[in-house]
């Protein structure tokens, strides 16, 4: 319990209750979980779990091409990561519904990041909570950390963005590409630059690639109004950006707001993916088919409490995989 929530050893109160066998009492276990989540040490869950699930640890490796993005610097890179960490921490400490990770009307900005987002009236290096007025900036899908992580050094990547959302928000793993797939031809190698949508159409002409791209591309293309460092834009390669498309289930989308609404319309998918990622983190191992009933059970119970973060965390803690350890004999 302590290593899950604090990434550290138990404190005296938890040790005393454990020694007395009282942690088996559901009421005591709940009380201790909420106490531990309210302790500053629970920030470890933000830095370690969010770092693992959202891949925030990789923000440090984001290195956009300086010719294409001359304004990008290390201060902005650090601000990207800090924004998302503070945002995730607010959902955790305020015990908000996990869907607020996608829909919350606030974020955390300092002057450097606000300027990058085109938001006026924010001054100084300190981060503060700010109401988001532009619908497209709401939640994780509007944050520079996620958008930059899922881009190439010189351009956006609808494929990477689509794959990231499928795997980390919808729980739909994408198979690796077949060998010998040709790389996307870069605009610098063309006589006339093409918008990303037209480049992807050209790439999908390969029949072997088409089936996976049909699922990934509409998701990634819906985010094309964000450039490779998460700044908002309406034009690319000299023309207006087309962010329309149709998802695999037939839902028509026209940009990030429609995409977010489509994900939120199936709350059990997003909550289930988050629960699975949290269970992996708590157990320190991957999941298999035997764990899926546990994940579904946690989500069903959390749904009765509006998918609040504490409901998901308590569900993981009460689960059989978390409370029991299976020993496999040599024979």
């Amino acid at each position: 319990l302590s290593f899950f929530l604090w990434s550290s050893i138990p404190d005296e109160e938890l040790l005393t209750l454990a020694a007395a066998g009282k942690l088996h009492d559901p009421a005591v276990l709940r009380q201790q979980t909420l106490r531990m989540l309210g302790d500053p040490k629970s920030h470890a869950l933000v830095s370690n779990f969010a770092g693992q699930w959202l891949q925030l640890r990789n923000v440090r490796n984001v290195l956009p091409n300086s010719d294409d993005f001359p304004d990008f610097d290390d201060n902005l890179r650090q601000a990207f990561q800090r924004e998302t960490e503070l945002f995730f921490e607010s959902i955790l400490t305020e015990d908000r519904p996990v869907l607020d990770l996608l829909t919350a009307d606030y974020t955390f900005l300092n002057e450097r990041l606000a300027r990058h987002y085109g938001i006026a009236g924010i001054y100084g290096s300190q981060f503060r909570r700010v109401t988001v007025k532009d619908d497209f900036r709401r939640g994780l899908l509007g944050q520079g950390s996620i958008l930059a992580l899922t881009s190439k050094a010189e351009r956006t990547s609808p494929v990477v963005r689509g794959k990231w959302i499928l795997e980390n928000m919808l729980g739909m793993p994408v198979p690796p590409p077949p060998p010998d797939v040709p790389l996307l031809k870069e605009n610098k190698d063309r006589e006339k630059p093409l918008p990303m949508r037209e480049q992807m159409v050209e790439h999908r002409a390969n029949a072997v690639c088409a089936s996976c791209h049909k699922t990934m591309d509409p998701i990634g293309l819906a985010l094309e109004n964000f450039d490779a460092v998460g700044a908002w834009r309406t034009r690319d390669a000299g023309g207006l950006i087309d962010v329309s498309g149709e998802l695999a289930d037939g839902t028509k989308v026209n940009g990030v707001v429609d995409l977010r609404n489509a994900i939120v319309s199936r709350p059990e998918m997003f909550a289930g993916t988050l629960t699975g990622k949290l269970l992996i983190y708590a157990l320190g191992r991957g999941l298999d088919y035997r764990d899926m009933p546990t994940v579904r059970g946690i989500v069903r119970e959390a749904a009765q409490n509006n998918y609040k973060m504490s409901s998901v965390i308590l569900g993981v803690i009460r689960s059989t995989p978390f409370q029991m350890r299976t020993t496999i004999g040599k024979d």
Side-chain angles (χ1 to χ4, degrees), residues 93-108:
T93 57
E94 296 168 24
D95 197 17
R96 301 172 73 95
V98 299
L99 292 175
D100 280 14
L101 286 164
L102 295 173
T103 62
D105 64 351
Y106 68 88
T107 190
F108 294 83

Side-chain angles (χ1 to χ4, degrees), residues 190-252:
R190 302 175 188 272
E191 289 185 13
K192 180 182 178 182
L194 289 179
M196 182 55 68
R197 177 178 290 273
E198 292 183 31
Q199 293 180 52
M200 296 306 301
V201 168
E202 183 180 86
H203 188 64
R204 280 199 305 274
N206 185 327
V208 179
C209 307
S211 59
C212 282
H213 279 283
K214 185 179 179 181
T215 304
M216 292 186 293
D217 291 0
I219 295 174
L221 288 169
L223 299 174
E224 270 296 287
N225 282 133
F226 296 110
D227 70 12
V229 292
W232 184 257
R233 61 183 183 167
T234 57
R235 303 181 70 85
D236 179 37
L240 289 173
I241 296 172
D242 179 3
V243 290
S244 63
E246 184 175 314
L247 304 182
D249 66 356
T251 301
K252 294 188 182 301

